[in-house]
Amino acid sequence: MQVVDEVIRTVRNVAQTEVMPRFLRVGKTRKDDGSLFTEADLGCQQALQRDLPQILPHPVLGEEMTREEQDALWAANPDGLWVVDPIDGTTNFVNGLPYFAISVALMVNGISELGVIYNPVADEMFYARRGKGAYLNGNRLPLKTTRNSMGDAIAAVEIKYLRSGKLAARMSSVAPFGSQRSMGSSTLDWCFLAAGRYDLYLHGGQRLWDYAAGAVILEEAGGRIASLNTDDYWTDTLWKRSVIAALDPELFGHWHRWVRANQ
């Protein structure tokens, strides 16, 4: 896990130098797609672009790049590419809500081999390397070993991105779970699921940097994942990928069948 340890040190240092000094002190602008952007996002990404290739010599693809730059990096580096979201949950960040994270993944041949996600406010460092398990601050995930029934399950659901009007309506009216959360950071949603804080997850379309680190953390915690299009999650659309997920395999089966039946 030496590489993971080095990534953890890098992410923690970047959070301390580039992100937290600007928390509650930074102005915001909007990008062409309407999403928020701050100098903290840019400072964090630039620091990760500088530091991560010193751990393993692969280029860095970040959210705060043009689509042309991202496409070129992806096409040219199948054998290794760092994928980063400098601040996932920028809206939370600029409004003082302590639910945002720095996310780093190492992807090889289209599959995440390493994931590190850090919430600097809570000082919670989630991390995994494929085949080596998933952890939170040194504790093996999941933290909770007893599972809820479907009727008591807590689901993280982002209804806004569901393409199917039928699925969104059914989710609001007859969903099979006990309660629902949507807190504004996809990367932390993955981690909370891996930890057992959530039981179920549904998102209609995440960007590469939203799922790259979280998906491997969940898989290494024992969770199951598919998309709305295919059960082979890692082969679905790269730049906007949906997710159906659960930590417990039995709950995943029930959840997967319900979602597919109500699309």
Side-chain angles (χ1 to χ4, degrees), residues 63-102:
E63 179 184 9
E64 309 308 336
M65 292 178 172
T66 67
R67 181 57 182 273
E68 292 75 18
E69 291 172 322
Q70 293 164 352
D71 284 337
L73 281 168
W74 183 263
N77 297 281
D79 58 339
L81 185 66
W82 296 105
V83 175
V84 308
D85 193 338
I87 301 178
D88 178 47
T90 300
T91 299
N92 289 345
F93 178 78
V94 300
N95 286 285
L97 297 172
Y99 195 79
F100 56 88
I102 301 168

Side-chain angles (χ1 to χ4, degrees), residues 76 98 117 121 154 218 258:
I117 296 174
V121 175
I154 299 174
L218 177 61
W258 188 91

Side-chain angles (χ1 to χ4, degrees), residues 1-14 52 55 115-118 125-128:
M1 297 283 279
Q2 179 181 353
V3 171
V4 175
D5 292 340
E6 292 183 30
V7 175
I8 287 171
R9 284 193 291 270
T10 295
V11 169
R12 192 182 299 277
N13 179 66
V14 169
L52 289 174
I55 300 172
V116 173
I117 296 174
Y118 183 47
M125 185 76 71
F126 299 86
Y127 54 95

Side-chain angles (χ1 to χ4, degrees), residues 183-233:
M183 298 174 66
S185 172
S186 293
T187 58
L188 287 178
D189 289 343
W190 283 103
C191 294
F192 277 34
L193 184 63
R197 296 169 179 173
Y198 297 152
D199 301 295
L200 311 170
Y201 192 31
L202 179 68
H203 199 294
Q206 296 182 333
R207 303 297 184 183
L208 173 63
W209 40 87
D210 293 325
Y211 65 78
V216 67
I217 291 173
L218 177 61
E219 287 186 314
E220 286 300 309
R224 299 279 302 280
I225 55 175
S227 78
L228 291 169
N229 303 315
T230 176
D231 290 344
D232 189 353
Y233 178 79

